[in-house]
Amino acid sequence: MTQDKNPLLEQFDEAPFSRIKDEHFKPAIEALVKETKAEIDAITSNKDEPTFKNTIEALEFSGMQLDRVTSIFFNLNSAETSENLQKIAQEISPLLSEFGNDITLNKALFERVKAVYNNKSKFNLSEEQEMLLNKKYKSFTRNGANLNAEDQKKLREIDNELSKLKLKFGENVLAETNNFQLHITDLEKLKGLPESILNDAKELAKSQKKPGYIFTLHYPSYVPFMKYASNRELRKEMALAYGSRCYKNNEYNNEENVLKIVSLRYKRAKLLGYKTHSDYVLEERMAKDPDTVYSFLNDLLEKAKPVAIKQFKELEDFAKKLDDIDQLQKWDGAYYTEKLKKQSFSLDDEELKPYFKLENVISGVFKISEKLFNLTFEEVFNIEKYHEDVKTFKVYDEGKFKALFYADFHPRSGKRPGAWMTSFKSQYIKDGINHRPHISNVCNFSKPSKDKPSLLTFNEVTTLFHEFGHALHGILADTIYPSLSGTSVSWDFVELPSQLLENWCYEKEALELFAFHYKTGEIIPTRFINKIKELNKFQEGVQTLRQISFGILDMDWHNINPNKIKLISEQEFNSFKTTKLYPETTDNLMSTSFAHIFQGGYSSGYYSYKWAEVLDADTFDYFQTKGIFNPDLSFSFKENILSKGGTVSPEILYEKFRGKNPSNKGLIERAGLN
């Protein structure tokens, strides 16, 4: 294959999916790495005195095509992967890691960056330029620029190995998720399951030319099964399969990968002069240090635990009374929670689902974005897509093109579990042109069947709104530099827009914009809306304790010398001691499939969901005071938070918007923890 026929080496705006073949990626990335190195060489060989423009800005805008191509590749590897793509990922990840090291360990380049940094006062920099300079300088010092040659070599080896291990971890989780199927031919065993779930399972079995019903560990199948299946033994089988992913004695076991990842992260942090990986990570977060995170989590734990214990006891008593269950197990939690919810509120997800047809929910989040931020969305059919399920939209702000939006909402074997927002192109301003972003939301909601559309549970509705909150952060970005644009903010600030948008799912004024019965067109009844609001506090102590436990587990993995750990099960069980409600299940482990922290970017950052919840509860309290569609407040949030990206520190941005520092009062009240 010749390079001139490689579409990834041509200039393009929208990703040319129809012309991209797997074999294009590696040669394109190799060629673009070479091209970017030439751009770096041009910066370092410049005989002129280092300035912001000829060094910092030149560095920022180097490798733009490489960034585009790698984002396309890794997005596909998450949303539409294959064995071939995974093999290529294992080949190019070390290459990209090595290239990253070539930049941050380039002595001549660092000397120029340092010269600009040390003389910043004479360049009359704007607030955004100064932020970019500080971040560039730190990216060098935090990645080994001040190390001696021998230690720089060690750093390269660590980064190379980490890039491979994280990929392998994720591939194993996806393989284990795909490998398990519960195949049932006897309908009697599936009592309690709603007709819609049975139909989906029947369709899946039919697609595999099998009789009966097939259930999987993918979210749209697994979660409703655990909520509704009366057969306790089958719930147990599903729960143990889910909880033992990558903890079994097979080729997908992740125990060694976990230990290697945390060990290498610790080694890397020590090499760079930090006490632990957590100290390294948190230096650049709002929290600043591990003590602050532990203090934050423990303060929440103190408030949530008594409430959680009380709520769990209610659940235990209910299960005992209903089915004579002596000991509530993990595979009982969702089932009896749903039963108790139905008894307490005369409402369950199946009653709500007809009001949440996927297309209507998408339309709803668009309408709410229009009322808040003057955005309009036009579905377009001439944009290339990587899969037929993907929908594409052009986004306008008062008639002006703002972004391209990809929506990919249904599960398939090549898509990893969960939901996320990503981008195929960053927003930035160069040569007077404001280059607009290409944003993507990826979720795993049930596909429509022949006789029924895709109907969402209320939890799935909030998931869609959550990811769309991230999308808005990208869509409304308006910065000069791509590395400061959109969601390029402190990790414990990035969840504010996403978690904030979820609040509109509970408001009558918002729900009446889109929650129509898919058959009758009836607007969701007020009694359901009132119950949804009440449900926001239902078992919230238990849910808060669960989130705190994940945050503690993450910190406990990364805030110690992991070389002392012999058994990862022992490490995990110790972390969960203060938050444990259910009996331990020895053949289950969370860490081996905890992709957020071992594959994604959440290591020493899982606490940020709760941290951002404090911010979002405080922010929405402000909206409720002024009106949930208040134009002045919406404009302020758009201007001070969504458009600014990482150009200003989050503390300053938040205070500009809110007029004060955040308080956890709103979160405590909303969750019923007071």
Side-chain angles (χ1 to χ4, degrees):
M1 182 185 69
T2 57
Q3 284 186 0
D4 60 348
K5 291 184 179 176
N6 190 327
L8 297 171
L9 292 171
E10 299 167 7
Q11 288 301 307
F12 56 84
D13 186 35
E14 296 142 15
F17 292 116
S18 68
R19 296 192 294 132
I20 299 171
K21 295 183 171 62
D22 289 357
E23 57 266 27
H24 286 138
F25 282 110
K26 191 177 178 186
I29 287 168
E30 287 172 336
L32 291 169
V33 163
K34 192 175 178 182
E35 184 181 293
T36 309
K37 282 182 177 177
E39 292 174 347
I40 301 299
D41 288 343
I43 297 170
T44 57
S45 61
N46 191 333
K47 301 300 181 191
D48 295 339
E49 181 187 342
T51 64
F52 180 85
K53 187 169 182 62
N54 71 20
T55 301
I56 306 302
E57 203 168 79
L59 178 58
E60 172 71 358
F61 286 116
S62 66
M64 297 289 282
Q65 183 88 342
L66 177 63
D67 289 343
R68 291 293 314 274
V69 171
T70 53
S71 73
I72 290 169
F73 176 79
F74 286 107
N75 286 340
L76 288 178
N77 197 39
S78 290
E80 185 60 12
T81 196
S82 63
E83 282 186 18
N84 198 33
L85 271 188
Q86 290 175 9
K87 181 174 175 289
I88 295 167
Q90 288 288 351
E91 292 169 359
I92 65 172
S93 291
L95 187 152
L96 291 168
S97 176
E98 182 72 11
F99 171 66
N101 288 142
D102 286 342
I103 303 293
T104 54
L105 301 179
N106 184 321
K107 191 176 179 185
L109 183 60
F110 178 54
E111 288 304 319
R112 288 187 70 90
V113 170
K114 188 159 64 169
V116 179
Y117 182 80
N118 289 337
N119 294 287
K120 66 170 83 169
S121 58
K122 77 178 195 181
F123 294 113
N124 192 27
L125 301 177
S126 69
E127 191 174 39
E128 182 173 347
Q129 288 173 328
E130 187 162 348
M131 179 64 82
L132 181 69
L133 172 58
N134 291 340
K135 288 199 170 184
K136 290 293 181 199
Y137 178 73
K138 279 185 178 178
S139 76
F140 281 88
T141 58
R142 284 170 53 80
N143 287 288
N146 288 322
L147 297 179
N148 61 43
E150 187 184 338
D151 284 344
Q152 286 187 350
K153 184 172 180 286
K154 288 178 187 172
L155 189 74
R156 284 178 182 273
E157 289 166 356
I158 289 170
D159 287 345
N160 190 317
E161 194 173 349
L162 271 172
S163 70
K164 292 179 183 175
L165 285 168
K166 289 193 290 182
L167 270 174
K168 187 62 184 166
F169 182 96
E171 288 168 8
N172 286 348
V173 175
L174 180 59
E176 283 275 78
T177 303
N178 284 337
N179 282 351
F180 176 86
Q181 290 191 339
L182 180 69
H183 183 205
I184 303 291
T185 53
D186 182 1
L187 187 59
E188 248 332 91
K189 292 183 176 179
L190 300 176
K191 281 183 179 174
L193 285 167
E195 186 185 345
S196 60
I197 305 305
L198 288 171
N199 287 341
D200 289 345
K202 195 171 188 176
E203 286 289 321
L204 182 58
K206 194 175 174 184
S207 72
Q208 296 184 20
K209 296 184 171 52
K210 292 179 181 175
Y213 309 83
I214 288 178
F215 300 90
T216 73
L217 300 182
H218 288 282
Y219 186 95
S221 180
Y222 177 75
V223 172
F225 191 93
M226 298 307 293
K227 264 187 188 178
Y228 297 112
S230 304
N231 190 313
R232 195 183 188 202
E233 282 306 306
L234 289 182
R235 288 202 312 270
K236 180 179 179 180
E237 186 178 344
M238 286 285 276
L240 292 181
Y242 190 87
S244 63
R245 287 177 304 163
C246 305
Y247 187 47
K248 298 188 280 290
N249 186 22
N250 63 18
E251 62 185 302
Y252 304 116
N253 186 290
N254 265 338
E255 289 176 89
E256 194 178 332
N257 290 330
V258 167
L259 289 174
K260 281 182 179 175
I261 288 169
V262 292
S263 180
L264 286 167
R265 284 173 174 168
Y266 174 75
K267 197 174 172 183
R268 189 182 195 279
K270 294 295 281 185
L271 198 59
L272 292 166
Y274 295 87
K275 187 180 173 186
T276 66
H277 177 70
S278 292
D279 289 277
Y280 171 79
V281 168
L282 294 167
E283 181 183 61
E284 291 295 286
R285 304 285 163 89
M286 288 179 79
K288 303 302 181 197
D289 58 65
D291 287 346
T292 303
V293 174
Y294 274 115
S295 176
F296 169 74
L297 291 172
N298 286 328
D299 180 53
L300 262 185
L301 177 61
E302 192 180 323
K303 292 177 173 67
K305 193 170 182 178
V307 179
I309 290 170
K310 183 184 173 190
Q311 290 175 348
F312 189 72
K313 180 72 166 59
E314 287 170 6
L315 196 63
E316 281 187 312
D317 292 346
F318 176 74
K320 174 71 176 169
K321 185 178 176 184
L322 193 69
D323 289 328
D324 202 28
I325 301 292
D326 288 321
Q327 176 74 71
L328 211 60
Q329 300 288 347
K330 287 178 183 176
W331 45 88
D332 299 317
Y335 179 75
Y336 287 106
T337 298
E338 190 63 27
K339 290 273 188 190
L340 180 58
K341 183 174 81 173
K342 190 168 184 180
Q343 178 179 291
S344 304
F345 299 93
S346 302
L347 184 70
D348 70 12
D349 275 338
E350 288 304 303
E351 285 181 274
L352 291 175
K353 279 172 73 173
Y355 295 96
F356 296 123
K357 180 182 171 184
L358 175 59
E359 288 76 8
N360 291 347
V361 179
I362 296 169
S363 171
V365 83
F366 287 172
K367 286 176 184 173
I368 287 164
S369 302
E370 182 176 3
K371 285 176 76 74
L372 287 169
F373 307 120
N374 297 316
L375 298 177
T376 53
F377 297 79
E378 177 197 344
E379 186 168 7
V380 288
F381 303 93
N382 59 346
I383 304 293
E384 293 194 22
K385 306 184 290 193
Y386 57 86
H387 191 276
E388 61 182 12
D389 285 350
V390 179
K391 293 178 181 291
T392 50
F393 301 85
K394 284 189 174 178
V395 189
Y396 297 91
D397 185 348
E398 296 184 342
K400 189 177 179 182
F401 178 70
K402 206 71 179 169
L404 183 60
F405 177 61
Y406 296 84
D408 180 3
F409 287 142
H410 301 302
R412 51 185 177 266
S413 61
K415 184 194 283 190
R416 70 175 170 87
W420 63 94
M421 167 267 181
T422 186
S423 71
F424 286 101
K425 179 190 173 189
S426 296
Q427 176 274 328
Y428 61 95
I429 300 171
K430 192 179 182 193
D431 300 328
I433 299 169
N434 194 329
H435 296 261
R436 299 312 304 167
H438 298 174
I439 304 299
S440 176
N441 273 173
V442 188
C443 301
N444 280 280
F445 305 138
S446 295
K447 293 189 83 162
S449 62
K450 274 187 281 187
D451 54 357
K452 193 173 284 186
S454 175
L455 301 176
L456 306 190
T457 65
F458 185 70
N459 187 52
E460 288 174 326
V461 174
T462 61
T463 296
L464 189 149
F465 270 67
H466 179 103
E467 297 309 331
F468 197 77
H470 284 309
L472 287 172
H473 208 172
I475 288 166
L476 289 166
D478 196 20
T479 66
I480 297 169
Y481 303 112
S483 70
L484 301 179
S485 181
T487 56
S488 299
V489 300
S490 295
W491 211 268
D492 41 13
F493 193 63
V494 78
E495 296 295 336
L496 168 59
S498 55
Q499 293 184 184
L500 176 67
L501 199 65
E502 290 182 42
N503 289 281
W504 273 263
C505 299
Y506 296 89
E507 297 297 316
K508 178 181 170 70
E509 201 179 338
L511 283 165
E512 289 184 344
L513 293 172
F514 68 93
F516 308 104
H517 196 287
Y518 81 100
K519 282 184 177 175
T520 66
E522 174 201 16
I523 293 176
I524 189 167
T526 303
R527 72 179 191 281
F528 281 179
I529 296 173
N530 292 337
K531 284 175 181 177
I532 285 169
K533 287 183 81 100
E534 288 174 42
L535 273 169
N536 204 17
K537 292 182 182 180
F538 177 67
Q539 290 279 302
E540 188 56 27
V542 172
Q543 289 305 315
T544 300
L545 198 66
R546 182 173 179 266
Q547 285 297 103
I548 292 168
S549 75
F550 297 164
I552 291 172
L553 177 65
D554 170 32
M555 289 299 295
D556 284 356
W557 271 119
H558 294 108
N559 192 45
I560 57 165
N561 177 353
N563 298 323
K564 296 171 185 174
I565 299 168
K566 297 290 181 255
L567 289 172
I568 71 168
S569 55
E570 193 176 308
Q571 172 73 5
E572 179 167 309
F573 294 154
N574 284 336
S575 288
F576 284 157
K577 267 181 185 172
T578 57
T579 56
K580 188 179 71 155
L581 292 172
Y582 292 95
E584 284 174 6
T585 310
T586 53
D587 51 358
N588 274 210
L589 210 64
M590 182 182 180
S591 296
T592 51
S593 60
F594 199 175
H596 270 77
I597 68 171
F598 293 119
Q599 182 193 12
Y602 277 86
S603 62
S604 298
Y606 202 87
Y607 75 92
S608 59
Y609 282 106
K610 278 295 167 193
W611 184 281
E613 217 174 306
V614 169
L615 301 178
D616 101 65
D618 192 55
T619 299
F620 195 66
D621 184 54
Y622 196 22
F623 268 99
Q624 286 180 306
T625 304
K626 302 279 187 182
I628 67 165
F629 289 113
N630 181 287
D632 295 333
L633 205 53
S634 301
F635 179 78
S636 176
F637 191 77
K638 181 180 180 180
E639 290 300 301
N640 289 308
I641 307 290
L642 296 174
S643 70
K644 289 290 190 291
T647 58
V648 183
S649 72
E651 294 87 350
I652 293 171
L653 288 179
Y654 191 80
E655 195 173 343
K656 273 187 179 178
F657 162 71
R658 188 68 172 92
K660 68 177 188 67
N661 290 326
S663 159
N664 69 2
K665 181 172 169 282
L667 172 62
I668 300 303
E669 287 180 0
R670 185 172 74 185
L673 303 180
N674 47 357

